[in-house]
Amino acid sequence: AEAALSFAAVHLTLLYFGTEPSVAAAVAAILVATSPAVVMRVASEFDASGQVTERMIVLTGLNTFYAVLASKFVVGWLHAELAGSWFRSIAHPLYLFAGSAIVAALLAFCVSLIARRLDLRNENSALLLLGMILLALSVTKMANLSTLLVPLLAGLMLRNSTERPWIWPRHFGTAGGALVLLLFVITGSVWSVDALMAGAALGAAVIVARFAAKTLATVALGRPSGLSVRQGLALGVALMPISGAALVMMADLQAVYPEFAAKLAGIVFSAVAVLELVGPIAVQAALRYVNEDNIR
């Protein structure tokens, strides 16, 4: 419900300001996502634990999964609208999903074998896990599949392959810190003043709409699921960050329809520019607000 409301809020906001329906749908699909790297890193840095922290992590994974699927359906729509090919509009997303599922199944199987012999919470084992993921992503890239969908599907398969919960490291130690820093550097390097200014007004509008939708959903549905209003508000705020995942989806879209991607680049880059900076602060403030920040 939270993801659907976020999509609808961003989509309707852009339509209200006169944006093309296809552009509005593409931006809305991308901005459903929450940044896993930022959320996991902040939770780890401040040793956070509790209801809000756990739900924040779960919803971050789900939102990214929904965003990737929605963006692929948007690409299918564009195949029919811009290329005039209904066959391609069905076959392309189907190929992406089926191919990504096969690679994800192989990755999940290999990780499962390693997990039986090694403790994945150990930093050296975590580096081995990271290497396997990078290898799988290399294969994914060569086959023109989804580099976001493969690890997400692999995680889902691992989670549902056993009744016992999987114990994962929340970060990859020193390597994890370097990777998150690299993510911020890469994200910042793709910005330009012209691109940011071109979509600044609409970027600000979708940030407000996205934040309102996520907060409204988590507050309204928090009480039936066991959260107080205070915790629901904190959860909505904690879902604000977005960075690398949005850029990957933008890059995938640009590879297929560069002229169309240029229409939404300003809006997406403006939103990412703000939320990449504000997001980590918002997550920390939200966790501290509900006393789940265990470092003082």
Side-chain angles (χ1 to χ4, degrees):
E2 174 265 313
L5 187 59
S6 299
F7 178 92
V10 172
H11 188 258
L12 293 175
T13 298
L14 290 175
L15 290 180
Y16 176 79
F17 285 106
T19 306
E20 296 176 28
S22 56
V23 173
V27 174
I30 291 172
L31 294 186
V32 165
T34 302
S35 174
V38 172
V39 164
M40 296 293 286
R41 190 65 190 181
V42 173
S44 175
E45 287 284 347
F46 294 95
D47 193 26
S49 61
Q51 282 288 323
V52 173
T53 301
E54 296 304 320
R55 297 185 193 214
M56 172 186 70
I57 293 172
V58 170
L59 289 178
T60 295
L62 289 174
N63 283 345
T64 304
F65 183 67
Y66 298 148
V68 174
L69 288 182
S71 67
K72 299 310 175 188
F73 283 120
V74 168
V75 170
W77 176 19
L78 292 176
H79 287 325
E81 186 176 275
L82 301 180
S85 174
W86 283 102
F87 173 78
R88 190 179 177 190
S89 70
I90 298 173
H92 186 223
L94 187 61
Y95 166 75
L96 289 175
F97 187 81
S100 298
I102 293 172
V103 178
L106 292 173
L107 175 60
F109 176 73
C110 292
V111 172
S112 180
L113 287 179
I114 291 176
R116 295 174 190 173
R117 296 167 174 80
L118 300 174
D119 183 1
L120 294 179
R121 290 170 292 182
N122 179 277
E123 185 169 341
N124 293 328
S125 300
L127 289 175
L128 176 60
L129 174 63
L130 179 61
M132 290 188 59
I133 293 173
L134 292 176
L135 177 61
L137 293 181
S138 297
V139 174
T140 301
K141 192 66 177 177
M142 288 189 292
N144 291 321
L145 300 172
S146 173
T147 52
L148 285 174
L149 199 54
V150 166
L152 288 167
L153 286 175
L156 286 173
M157 292 174 185
L158 285 170
R159 174 62 184 86
N160 289 280
S161 63
T162 175
E163 294 181 357
R164 297 180 60 187
W166 281 77
I167 306 299
W168 297 96
R170 284 193 172 178
H171 63 91
F172 293 106
T174 304
L179 288 171
V180 172
L181 180 60
L182 183 61
L183 168 66
F184 276 80
V185 173
I186 292 174
T187 304
S189 68
V190 301
W191 298 342
S192 68
V193 175
D194 292 339
L196 293 178
M197 295 307 296
L202 289 177
V206 298
I207 287 173
V208 173
R210 179 179 180 270
F211 171 69
K214 289 185 179 295
T215 305
L216 177 63
T218 54
V219 171
L221 300 175
R223 182 59 65 87
S225 68
L227 293 183
S228 66
V229 173
R230 185 185 184 95
Q231 289 174 314
L233 178 61
L235 180 57
V237 172
L239 294 175
M240 283 183 63
I242 184 170
S243 56
L247 296 183
V248 173
M249 286 183 274
M250 274 291 299
D252 289 345
L253 186 59
Q254 191 169 22
V256 183
Y257 292 108
E259 293 183 0
F260 175 80
K263 296 180 181 179
L264 55 137
I267 303 172
V268 173
F269 285 169
S270 296
V272 170
V274 174
L275 293 178
E276 186 186 40
L277 299 176
V278 175
I281 300 172
V283 174
Q284 182 193 355
L287 296 177
R288 181 162 291 178
Y289 181 62
V290 290
N291 298 317
E292 293 189 10
D293 178 358
N294 294 320
I295 295 181
R296 297 290 182 263

